[in-house]
Amino acid sequence: MSAYMFPEDFVFGGATAAYQVEGETRGHGKGKVIWDDFLAEQGRFTGDPASDFYHRYPTDLELCERFGINGIRVSIAWTRIFPEGEGALNQEGVDYYHELFACCRAHGVEPFVTLHHFDTPDCYGANGGFLDRHVIDAYEAYARFCFAEFPEVTHWFTFNEIPAVAGGTYIEGTWPYGEKLHLDKAAQTIHNMMVAHARAVVAYKEGGYTGEIGIVHNLEPKYPLDPNSLADIQAARNEDMLLNQFILDATFLGSYAPDTIACVNALAASTGGTLDIRDEDLSCLTRAAELNDCLGINNYMCKFLTSFEGESDIHHNGTGEKGTSRWRVKGIGEHANRPGIPTTDWDWIIYPEGLFDLLMRIKNDYPNYKKIYITENGMGYKDELKDGIVDDGPRIDYLRQYLTWIAKAIDGGVNVAGYFVWSLQDQFSWTNGYNKRYGLFYVDFDSQERTPKASAYWYKNLAAARRLDA
Ligand code: BGP
């Protein structure tokens, strides 16, 4: 058995996102987001009541304090501030976030605030969201407003998971206004959102604010299913270029390396499109590349790829019926799994050493990264509350394994400053609803009562000792 110590000022946090916890999706002056009608039309579930965080954040922050959780990821809902994305302000929304941040501080819980976590204003959805360059301007104006209005926030993230937005909308087509298999639109969305990120970072620094600002990327290592197969190596490389290297280059190089852009251009061309990358975009990306204070990494799994040249076919497992996922995309490859590697009921591959590989790659390939937070990691599980107890042993096991590999990366010289369990409490899941639970705290979605799970007690001990025995 080995023991790992985490640094003294390490953040042991829990993560949330506005739409997944707040509820009140149309209450208190909030404007519509792209998910509202989309979910209502599907009729499976909606973002109400979620975890009723709009009213119950004091309870959740009290739980954080009791369980030694000293950081929380929250996001601002853009349409609580500007119901139409721009123009008229909703003062009630502004007041709400001031009160939330004050309550965080009162409980000794540092707020890490994301400006956009999937909840694009609905008024921009029909025009393709960030494909429309006007939305870049609107986002920058919203970001500037927040920086000036909320000086009490000293940890900002511009976006959550740009590739997930692009992939959900334009590859898998499971997101609002989505269309399947448009690699060109997916790549363009990634680029445009990276430009919006860069504009916000430059605005923050030009504004003279002294907090830190960065971006949260969902990064998954992509491995060839057969490491000796050139075709599988190419498949893994295709997906890695589009969903990992493209954003990492934009973030830390401020431009696209020749092999990155060649590969992404070829993928875009395979679905009939060309990318619009302007000089002004690249000069803004270049300026921002040295200004990022930190990188947030969301990581849950890895992917193994094998080559695929047939007709594309994607099926999203949004029910937890194990073994039902299919992901085969002509031009990229097919998702598979190596024998013996465990998966969750939603077919997410549990491969903690992948996170180590990822952290070492950032350190080696992008040495200007400065600081990393693991902003999301956790296990979706069908928890059951029995006699007042939630025994989520598999989740504890998952968290222990991932944290062990994070600790090994810290020992290997990677500057990881904090970790946020996804999720703090059970929440609404975008394409899965309410039976995919991730929380340290169980939420009864009828009564909204919270019950600490076994994992909450385990995490409390870890945070108190800062020591992991594995
Ligand atoms: C990340 C998102 C979160 C959260 C999490 C779990 O991609 O940032 O918002 O939802 O994944 O995903 P899911 O809810 O699909 O299981």
Side-chain angles (χ1 to χ4, degrees):
M1 197 187 279
S2 314
Y4 298 95
M5 286 304 294
F6 287 91
E8 210 162 311
D9 52 357
F10 197 77
V11 180
F12 287 97
T16 74
Y19 201 76
Q20 295 181 265
V21 293
E22 287 178 1
E24 294 287 2
T25 58
R26 299 305 311 285
H28 303 273
K30 185 174 190 287
K32 227 189 233 185
V33 302
I34 53 173
W35 292 90
D36 294 339
D37 288 349
F38 174 80
L39 293 172
E41 276 159 28
Q42 281 188 345
R44 285 176 70 203
F45 38 73
T46 71
D48 281 304
S51 327
D52 194 27
F53 190 70
Y54 191 86
H55 302 108
R56 288 171 202 262
Y57 68 82
T59 308
D60 288 336
L61 289 163
E62 206 178 289
L63 281 170
C64 286
E65 190 175 2
R66 264 182 48 207
F67 281 79
I69 296 166
N70 61 357
I72 185 170
R73 261 193 86 200
V74 294
S75 73
I76 294 179
W78 183 345
T79 62
R80 256 193 220 295
I81 308 283
F82 295 109
E84 294 300 322
E86 53 202 284
L89 182 77
N90 176 36
Q91 190 57 45
E92 196 176 344
V94 174
D95 296 344
Y96 166 70
Y97 289 110
H98 279 302
E99 286 157 22
L100 169 62
F101 302 144
C103 188
C104 290
R105 287 274 154 62
H107 286 283
V109 182
E110 187 61 30
F112 288 70
V113 180
T114 307
L115 286 165
H116 178 279
H117 193 127
F118 300 169
D119 48 357
T120 303
D122 189 58
C123 50
Y124 302 135
N127 288 339
F130 279 85
L131 277 183
D132 174 2
R133 291 183 67 102
H134 169 71
V135 183
I136 302 176
D137 299 333
Y139 171 84
E140 182 188 342
Y142 155 64
R144 282 178 185 273
F145 173 85
C146 290
F147 298 150
E149 177 65 36
F150 300 110
E152 67 269 43
V153 174
T154 54
H155 302 274
W156 289 102
F157 292 113
T158 53
F159 282 102
N160 181 72
E161 299 196 351
I162 288 176
V165 176
T169 313
Y170 293 117
I171 301 178
E172 295 177 4
T174 48
W175 279 36
Y177 296 97
E179 305 165 54
K180 267 190 175 176
L181 299 164
H182 284 278
L183 302 186
D184 48 336
K185 290 186 181 178
Q188 189 68 55
T189 299
I190 292 174
H191 171 75
N192 288 7
M193 291 181 80
M194 282 307 307
V195 173
H197 154 77
R199 294 241 213 119
V201 168
V202 169
Y204 189 72
K205 295 298 175 183
E206 279 180 355
Y209 304 105
T210 53
E212 61 179 24
I213 187 162
I215 185 165
V216 173
H217 287 324
N218 53 312
L219 298 170
E220 284 170 4
K222 316 285 182 188
Y223 302 107
L225 182 64
D226 173 358
N228 297 313
S229 152
L230 277 182
D232 288 7
I233 291 170
Q234 183 59 46
R237 183 174 183 271
N238 290 336
E239 190 170 323
D240 184 73
M241 284 286 177
L242 180 63
L243 299 180
N244 291 335
Q245 194 146 312
F246 195 40
I247 45 166
L248 286 171
D249 281 5
T251 309
F252 293 114
L253 301 183
S255 60
Y256 301 112
D259 58 336
T260 312
I261 198 65
C263 183
V264 175
N265 275 333
L267 291 173
S270 77
T271 53
T274 48
L275 297 186
D276 174 13
I277 296 177
R278 305 181 182 178
D279 288 347
E280 73 203 65
D281 298 349
L282 293 171
S283 63
C284 189
L285 286 172
T286 306
R287 282 188 71 193
E290 295 308 321
L291 300 175
N292 293 303
D293 297 299
C294 56
L295 169 68
I297 295 181
N298 294 353
N299 175 262
Y300 294 84
M301 59 180 148
C302 76
K303 293 277 162 57
F304 293 103
L305 281 104
T306 184
S307 70
F308 178 76
E309 290 306 330
E311 279 316 300
S312 300
D313 173 28
I314 294 181
H315 179 260
H316 170 67
N317 171 0
T319 55
E321 206 183 316
K322 206 167 179 158
T324 55
S325 298
R326 288 190 307 280
W327 201 98
R328 302 169 181 141
V329 176
K330 196 175 179 170
I332 297 185
E334 173 176 358
H335 292 170
N337 195 9
R338 287 188 188 153
I341 298 191
T343 58
T344 70
D345 285 343
W346 285 263
D347 302 320
W348 290 21
I349 296 174
I350 302 175
Y351 193 68
E353 47 271 64
L355 180 50
F356 174 84
D357 290 350
L358 203 58
L359 289 166
M360 297 310 285
R361 171 182 176 183
I362 307 269
K363 172 178 175 276
N364 294 331
D365 292 358
Y366 303 97
N368 60 339
Y369 75 90
K370 293 184 191 137
K371 185 199 271 189
I372 291 174
Y373 295 100
I374 304 303
T375 33
E376 286 182 30
N377 171 246
M379 186 182 174
Y381 190 64
K382 295 168 191 162
D383 293 288
E384 279 177 52
L385 175 66
K386 272 195 211 133
D387 304 326
I389 290 172
V390 182
D391 181 3
D392 58 344
R395 178 175 293 111
I396 295 175
D397 196 41
Y398 176 104
L399 298 177
R400 182 188 286 115
Q401 290 185 56
Y402 273 85
L403 277 152
T404 301
W405 283 96
I406 293 166
K408 289 185 188 187
I410 295 174
D411 284 355
V414 185
N415 183 17
V416 183
Y419 174 90
F420 296 77
V421 179
W422 185 271
S423 48
L424 178 65
Q425 70 289 72
D426 290 337
Q427 307 179 358
F428 163 72
S429 165
W430 309 94
T431 58
N432 308 282
Y434 290 92
N435 81 330
K436 192 178 189 185
R437 294 172 178 271
Y438 280 92
L440 294 174
F441 302 106
Y442 183 92
V443 175
D444 174 329
F445 290 108
D446 294 324
S447 67
Q448 289 295 340
E449 216 173 288
R450 272 67 168 151
T451 306
K453 300 181 191 176
S455 57
Y457 292 97
W458 176 82
Y459 196 57
K460 179 181 183 181
N461 288 337
L462 171 74
R466 286 187 293 104
R467 177 191 158 109
L468 183 71
D469 292 304

